[in-house]
Amino acid sequence: QLVESGGGLVKPGGSLRLSCAASGFTFSNAWMSWVRQAPGKGLEWVGRVKSENNGGTTDYAAPVKGRFTISRDDSRNMVYLQMNSLKTEDTALYYCTNLGKVPWGQGTLVTVSS
Amino acid sequence: DIQMTQSPSSLSASVGDRVTITCRASQSIATYLNWYWQKPGKPPKLLIYAASSLQSGVPSRFSGSGSGTDFTLTISRLQPEDFATYYCQQSYNTPITFGQGTRLEI
């Protein structure tokens, strides 16, 4: 399963770090993505980190590139999303997922507002 | 970026109906296509992966087909629990993209 945490209320320009704890599958082999969903809107891919066996490289969606950073800690079965220079349009429910057979978690809500 | 376009955006149907949702990619994505459903207040759940493979535990009334640019999700006999929003998603390359969603209503 996947359990996200770390969401909350933050002012524009602020930072937040989301965490995702994984269990029940071989995490070290998984390519992990973050996907967000603004209130009442559809799903938007934020970015991905590949497995270390595939270089552990990251890719990001254009709206967050340069502001967000995804990392992983295979020793702890954790994936992280560091969000800097937050904007009001980053307000959303954030999910971590392998976009595959592992069930999605409940997500963690990030609200960017003054 | 690969654009994923679903049609229709919303659909009204009745229990027992056969329903088809389509998803079109702006360029070929082979069969790198997943389908999800999402109910209000819940996370998305994987229905179909690799365009036509049924995820474990998903009822057999769901089926997926297609390759290249055109894909379909078919529900053979709608059940009350099937009323939800459906999304397609391509993983052929990054950025990974989702369709805008199809809201299936009674």
Side-chain angles (χ1 to χ4, degrees), chain A residues 33 35 37 41-45 48 59-62 95 97 99-106, chain B residues 1 34 36 38 41-46 49 55 87 89 91 93-100:
Chain A
S33 284
V35 172
Q37 188 168 35
K41 302 297 184 182
L43 302 170
E44 180 186 21
W45 180 77
R48 176 188 68 191
D59 298 285
Y60 299 95
Y95 298 100
T97 171
L99 292 176
K101 300 178 181 181
V102 178
W104 294 41
Q106 294 300 310
Chain B
D1 298 4
N34 291 342
Y36 300 87
Q38 185 179 33
K42 299 293 186 182
K45 296 183 80 170
L46 181 68
Y49 62 95
Q55 166 68 343
Y87 295 94
Q89 170 250 315
S91 56
N93 62 15
T94 55
I96 291 169
T97 46
F98 291 86
Q100 81 277 17

